[in-house]
Amino acid sequence: MGGEDSQILFILFSGVFLAAVMATFVVAMVILHRQRQVQNKQKVEQLKVEFEKTMLNIENEIQQETLNHIGRELHDNIGQLLSLSKLYLGSSKPERQAEGKELISKTITEVRSLSKSLNLDWVENLNLEEFIQEQLDKIEASGYCKTEFVANHLHWEPSKEQKMILIRVIQECLNNAIKHASPETITITLDSSGTEKFIQIKDDGKGFDSSIASTGSGMTNLKKRMETIGGKFHLQSIPGKGTEIKLLLPV
Amino acid sequence: MIQALWERILSNYYLVSTVILGLTGVILFIFLPRQKKAKPQFYLPFLILVLVVFYEILAVNMIVNKPLNERIHYLLTSDPYKGWNSWVFNIFNYLLSKILFLLLIRVNLKNPTRRKIVHFLIGILILGGIVLTISGIEKIHEPQPIFYFISNITLIIASGFFFMDLISEDYFLSLNPVQFLPFWYISLILFQSALTLLADVAFEYLAFNRVDIYFLFNYTSMILYFLLSIVFNTLFYLGRNNFLKNSEI
């Protein structure tokens, strides 16, 4: 009888123990879930701060570049136009004076278009394909190397933030190619694969061993910038065979 | 015979509550929009409620209607008839309802690997039942402690998977588990399976030697099923998986 009682006691105890274990398990899971929610919230906030910081940096960089561009334009273009206008307007010949007035009108138009680039509203209306073509035209006009642009019409309308980051990343990639690679041709392809759109920047320059970790922060910055807009930055380079960079963004 | 069946049902609070909650569940399910009725999150609890009402009434009927029970008994086996209705619970409770419960848990899982494992668990449950019965290790008309163990363990594992999903899958990040109905019904399934596991495994010993302890476990299981039926009815009444009004989940 004693043995039977202890068996019953064991079954009862096991039942209570099992119930307690299950209750603890469920409560622990709820607590863990809450903790994960808090961690996730903190992570989201951190990412938000990081994103805002990146956007601010990008805005500063674009503004800096715009100021440089304006400086160059004032010196090389508007300065020249005004000097020429002064010269023509000071002339006693009526046809020269008319030309001088025309030059003044042209200068006003140039100043107006320059003033538009002082704020960042132009980014909103910017067409990514046009921007890439413009950048490549500039490179080709400088006689540095040949360029090629393949754009499969994707009807892709990235947000202002995405455009700003893409502009800076593309500019940085092109600068790097010009500075370090000495390529014959730079090719940019705008296309999509599956659920992603991508911009491929390819050069046939010197290349480098991309398997060796870079000591500089340039590539890491580009990668981080792409990640802030939910994108990816892939780089592949082989010494003597050029470099291929892929900027991927989910649709 | 019908009179005896009614008397038997009405004398048992658990049966009365099961039938009432089963009927309200059916009515609330009928009023659900068609697209919701087609979703497994809704039709699986509905099937469970209907199945439980069906087998509980069938089990009572098998006690009242002995000749019918005897006929079915000899259809299933050639062993001498003892007047038990174990076959009803073995087939409908420990096999069919557990499969439905496993499917319901599977529907709420987001991790594809765990979903596949639950499929595998359903396979084990079906195969286990068939092998144990056909090989004669456990008879269909008698308590099947090994099979009860398998069915409860598969449910405990599947319920555990849900909680693992809850703390690891991004889908659940925006959810408050306390307001999420599947959290409640899966918790109840887990509790019921864990608590009745002992009673089911020790069924033969308890049912014949210590009926009081057997009933203690049995009542616990009944209370948990009662709560589960209330959660299912709430699910049909709300028409969504969440207590929150603006929730689409």
Side-chain angles (χ1 to χ4, degrees), chain B residues 158-181:
Chain B
S159 306
F161 283 164
F162 170 76
F163 289 100
M164 282 166 79
D165 256 27
L166 189 73
I167 58 161
S168 62
E169 291 297 312
D170 289 346
Y171 173 85
F172 296 105
L173 266 177
S174 56
L175 285 172
N176 179 357
V178 180
Q179 290 170 332
F180 190 51
L181 284 168

Side-chain angles (χ1 to χ4, degrees), chain A residues 147-188:
Chain A
T147 62
E148 207 179 312
F149 182 38
V150 184
N152 294 321
H153 300 284
L154 302 169
H155 307 290
W156 184 23
E157 273 304 316
S159 65
K160 188 186 171 186
E161 287 78 15
Q162 285 180 325
K163 273 188 208 168
M164 280 169 74
I165 288 189
L166 285 172
I167 285 171
R168 283 303 299 142
V169 174
I170 292 167
Q171 280 179 332
E172 198 58 35
C173 291
L174 291 173
N175 282 344
N176 284 341
I178 293 166
K179 269 190 206 167
H180 310 294
S182 314
E184 292 276 318
T185 316
I186 295 175
T187 311
I188 297 187

Side-chain angles (χ1 to χ4, degrees), chain B residues 117-166:
Chain B
I117 297 174
V118 174
H119 266 149
F120 179 68
L121 290 176
I122 294 171
I124 288 181
L125 184 66
I126 296 169
L127 203 75
I130 293 170
V131 169
L132 287 170
T133 308
I134 289 177
S135 64
I137 296 169
E138 292 195 321
K139 289 169 179 168
I140 191 84
H141 57 282
E142 285 178 3
Q144 299 182 306
I146 301 171
F147 184 56
Y148 300 165
F149 178 80
I150 294 171
S151 64
N152 282 314
I153 283 290
T154 51
L155 269 183
I156 291 169
I157 294 170
S159 306
F161 283 164
F162 170 76
F163 289 100
M164 282 166 79
D165 256 27
L166 189 73

Side-chain angles (χ1 to χ4, degrees), chain A residues 80-205:
Chain A
Q80 297 297 322
L81 285 171
L82 287 173
S83 300
L84 213 58
S85 310
K86 189 186 167 192
L87 203 71
Y88 285 172
L89 287 171
S91 168
S92 55
K93 292 177 183 173
E95 63 271 23
R96 284 286 182 206
Q97 283 187 350
E99 270 182 63
K101 279 179 190 170
E102 246 177 65
L103 281 174
I104 291 286
S105 302
K106 200 182 171 191
T107 311
I108 291 168
T109 316
E110 292 285 324
V111 169
R112 272 187 189 146
S113 84
L114 263 187
S115 70
K116 277 182 195 165
S117 63
L118 270 170
N119 61 38
L120 286 172
D121 292 346
W122 61 273
V123 178
E124 224 155 323
N125 306 318
L126 178 95
N127 180 305
L128 206 60
E129 289 180 29
E130 280 172 18
F131 169 78
I132 294 170
Q133 189 62 63
E134 207 176 277
Q135 296 294 309
L136 293 178
D137 288 347
K138 270 186 197 171
I139 293 171
E140 204 152 328
S142 71
Y144 190 80
C145 69
K146 282 182 198 167
T147 62
E148 207 179 312
F149 182 38
V150 184
N152 294 321
H153 300 284
L154 302 169
H155 307 290
W156 184 23
E157 273 304 316
S159 65
K160 188 186 171 186
E161 287 78 15
Q162 285 180 325
K163 273 188 208 168
M164 280 169 74
I165 288 189
L166 285 172
I167 285 171
R168 283 303 299 142
V169 174
I170 292 167
Q171 280 179 332
E172 198 58 35
C173 291
L174 291 173
N175 282 344
N176 284 341
I178 293 166
K179 269 190 206 167
H180 310 294
S182 314
E184 292 276 318
T185 316
I186 295 175
T187 311
I188 297 187
T189 311
L190 195 64
D191 209 340
S192 67
S193 66
T195 55
E196 286 177 317
K197 305 254 185 203
F198 68 85
I199 299 165
Q200 188 189 51
I201 304 160
K202 213 173 165 183
D203 72 61
D204 55 0

Side-chain angles (χ1 to χ4, degrees), chain A residues 8-24, chain B residues 191 194-196 198 216-217 220:
Chain A
I8 300 300
L9 212 65
F10 174 74
I11 291 171
L12 274 175
F13 178 76
S14 305
V16 172
F17 178 73
L18 214 58
V21 168
M22 290 302 135
T24 314
Chain B
F191 269 80
L195 284 174
T196 53
L198 276 175
L216 178 73
F217 281 111
T220 316

Side-chain angles (χ1 to χ4, degrees), chain A residues 181-237:
Chain A
S182 314
E184 292 276 318
T185 316
I186 295 175
T187 311
I188 297 187
T189 311
L190 195 64
D191 209 340
S192 67
S193 66
T195 55
E196 286 177 317
K197 305 254 185 203
F198 68 85
I199 299 165
Q200 188 189 51
I201 304 160
K202 213 173 165 183
D203 72 61
D204 55 0
K206 287 179 198 165
F208 61 96
D209 190 354
S210 55
S211 62
I212 298 168
S214 164
T215 49
S217 59
M219 292 299 161
T220 319
N221 271 345
L222 294 179
K223 201 174 172 187
K224 271 189 182 172
R225 284 183 173 185
M226 283 306 292
E227 280 167 3
T228 55
I229 49 168
K232 286 177 209 156
F233 177 90
H234 288 167
L235 184 141
Q236 207 178 3
S237 187

